[in-house]
Amino acid sequence: MFILFGTKGYLYQLAILTLVCGRCGNPAAHTLRKRVTKFTLFFVPLFPISTKYATQCTFCGAENKVTAQDAEQLQAQAAAGGGQGGQGQMYGGQAPQQPYQH
């Protein structure tokens, strides 16, 4: 009897925000992503093993890890921005502190 088990990854895009990139320093769109790894049994995903959040700069491609709490704040900020993405600052993966000003 064979038992097939393993893991499968899922990637969800939660929001698009305008942030100042910690790597290139440009105010650019950043995608807020959620990566979920699920345990599978006979190719059927059963339960999540890990959940990670990250933002990725669309200008230079830099990716910064974000905590679940910061991801919720960024997602709420994007929703408050009317669907066009919120505005904030990000330096080296930290949560935004003040709105971005031109």
Side-chain angles (χ1 to χ4, degrees):
M1 176 180 216
F2 290 102
I3 297 177
L4 297 175
F5 64 93
T7 60
K8 183 172 181 180
Y10 296 89
L11 188 62
Y12 302 100
Q13 182 172 316
L14 302 177
I16 298 178
L17 303 146
T18 302
L19 303 171
V20 176
C21 181
R23 179 177 172 207
C24 66
N26 290 313
H30 285 68
T31 56
L32 176 62
R33 296 179 177 170
K34 176 181 176 181
R35 186 180 313 265
V36 179
T37 304
K38 293 187 177 184
F39 176 79
T40 61
L41 183 64
F42 293 104
F43 305 105
V44 177
L46 296 178
F47 54 88
I49 296 174
S50 72
T51 302
K52 297 178 183 177
Y53 296 90
T55 59
Q56 185 174 20
C57 177
T58 58
F59 189 82
C60 68
E63 188 170 315
N64 292 315
K65 293 181 182 178
V66 179
T67 65
Q69 183 180 10
D70 289 342
E72 287 179 16
Q73 289 176 345
L74 289 170
Q75 198 170 7
Q77 184 179 352
Q84 296 177 1
Q87 293 186 345
Q89 295 178 343
M90 177 170 284
Y91 297 105
Q94 296 178 5
Q97 301 296 322
Q98 299 173 352
Y100 169 74
Q101 305 270 330
H102 284 83

